[in-house]
Amino acid sequence: MNDSAAILTVWLAVGGLCALGAGFIAEGRGRSFSLLLLLGLLFGPLALLLAAVMPREGQHATTPIAEPNRLDDLARLADLRDRGALSEAEFDAEKAKLLG
Protein backbone atom coordinates (compact mmCIF):
# COMPACT_ATOMS: atom_id res chain seq x y z
CA MET A 1 0.00 0.00 0.00
CA ASN A 2 1.49 3.34 -1.00
CA ASP A 3 1.39 6.52 1.07
CA SER A 4 -1.53 8.15 -0.75
CA ALA A 5 -3.73 5.08 -0.32
CA ALA A 6 -2.89 4.96 3.38
CA ILE A 7 -3.74 8.64 3.79
CA LEU A 8 -7.03 8.16 1.95
CA THR A 9 -7.90 5.15 4.11
CA VAL A 10 -7.20 7.09 7.32
CA TRP A 11 -9.16 10.09 6.03
CA LEU A 12 -12.18 7.92 5.21
CA ALA A 13 -12.02 6.15 8.57
CA VAL A 14 -11.78 9.41 10.55
CA GLY A 15 -14.36 11.10 8.32
CA GLY A 16 -16.73 8.17 8.68
CA LEU A 17 -16.50 8.18 12.46
CA CYS A 18 -16.94 11.95 12.58
CA ALA A 19 -19.86 11.71 10.17
CA LEU A 20 -21.64 9.15 12.33
CA GLY A 21 -20.94 11.13 15.49
CA ALA A 22 -22.14 14.38 13.93
CA GLY A 23 -25.25 12.69 12.57
CA PHE A 24 -26.22 11.20 15.92
CA ILE A 25 -25.54 14.45 17.79
CA ALA A 26 -27.63 16.36 15.25
CA GLU A 27 -30.46 13.85 15.50
CA GLY A 28 -30.45 14.18 19.28
CA ARG A 29 -30.82 17.92 18.88
CA GLY A 30 -33.75 17.59 16.48
CA ARG A 31 -31.69 18.38 13.38
CA SER A 32 -31.15 16.49 10.13
CA PHE A 33 -29.09 13.31 10.58
CA SER A 34 -28.35 12.96 6.87
CA LEU A 35 -27.12 16.54 6.40
CA LEU A 36 -24.59 16.28 9.22
CA LEU A 37 -23.63 12.79 8.04
CA LEU A 38 -22.78 14.22 4.62
CA LEU A 39 -20.91 17.16 6.15
CA GLY A 40 -19.00 14.73 8.35
CA LEU A 41 -17.90 12.73 5.32
CA LEU A 42 -16.76 15.88 3.56
CA PHE A 43 -15.22 17.85 6.40
CA GLY A 44 -14.56 15.30 9.15
CA PRO A 45 -13.98 16.79 12.61
CA LEU A 46 -15.37 20.20 11.62
CA ALA A 47 -18.84 18.71 11.15
CA LEU A 48 -18.57 17.03 14.53
CA LEU A 49 -17.72 20.38 16.11
CA LEU A 50 -20.59 22.06 14.25
CA ALA A 51 -23.07 19.45 15.47
CA ALA A 52 -21.85 19.85 19.05
CA VAL A 53 -22.34 23.63 19.16
CA MET A 54 -25.61 23.71 17.23
CA PRO A 55 -28.62 24.72 19.38
CA ARG A 56 -31.52 22.31 19.76
CA GLU A 57 -34.39 22.60 17.31
CA GLY A 58 -36.80 25.28 18.53
CA GLN A 59 -34.27 26.65 21.00
CA HIS A 60 -33.25 30.20 20.23
CA ALA A 61 -30.62 32.32 21.82
CA THR A 62 -32.65 34.93 23.64
CA THR A 63 -31.84 37.42 26.29
CA PRO A 64 -33.92 36.77 29.37
CA ILE A 65 -36.27 39.57 30.30
CA ALA A 66 -35.47 40.93 33.72
CA GLU A 67 -38.27 40.40 36.18
CA PRO A 68 -39.28 43.40 38.22
CA ASN A 69 -37.57 43.48 41.57
CA ARG A 70 -40.13 43.70 44.37
CA LEU A 71 -37.71 45.32 46.78
CA ASP A 72 -36.96 48.10 44.31
CA ASP A 73 -40.67 48.62 43.71
CA LEU A 74 -41.37 48.76 47.45
CA ALA A 75 -38.53 51.24 47.94
CA ARG A 76 -39.92 53.39 45.12
CA LEU A 77 -43.40 53.30 46.68
CA ALA A 78 -42.01 54.16 50.12
CA ASP A 79 -40.12 57.09 48.61
CA LEU A 80 -43.31 58.36 46.95
CA ARG A 81 -45.16 58.02 50.25
CA ASP A 82 -42.38 59.82 52.15
CA ARG A 83 -42.44 62.69 49.64
CA GLY A 84 -46.20 62.99 49.98
CA ALA A 85 -47.04 61.78 46.47
CA LEU A 86 -48.92 58.77 47.90
CA SER A 87 -51.17 58.62 50.92
CA GLU A 88 -50.69 55.87 53.49
CA ALA A 89 -53.80 54.09 52.15
CA GLU A 90 -52.53 54.27 48.53
CA PHE A 91 -49.14 52.98 49.67
CA ASP A 92 -50.73 50.05 51.53
CA ALA A 93 -52.91 49.19 48.53
CA GLU A 94 -49.94 49.21 46.11
CA LYS A 95 -47.81 47.25 48.57
CA ALA A 96 -50.53 44.59 48.84
CA LYS A 97 -50.61 44.31 45.02
CA LEU A 98 -46.84 43.85 44.89
CA LEU A 99 -46.71 41.26 47.60
CA GLY A 100 -49.69 39.43 46.22
Side-chain angles (χ1 to χ4, degrees), residues 5 13 17 26 28 34 38-39 50 52 65 71 73 85 89:
L17 289 175
S34 55
L38 178 62
L39 287 174
L50 175 66
I65 298 172
L71 291 177
D73 291 342

Side-chain angles (χ1 to χ4, degrees), residues 36-69:
L36 269 292
L37 184 71
L38 178 62
L39 287 174
L41 288 173
L42 295 173
F43 300 110
L46 292 177
L48 191 60
L49 180 64
L50 175 66
V53 299
M54 211 179 348
R56 294 189 184 282
E57 182 67 31
Q59 180 183 23
H60 303 287
T62 59
T63 305
I65 298 172
E67 293 184 24
N69 187 339

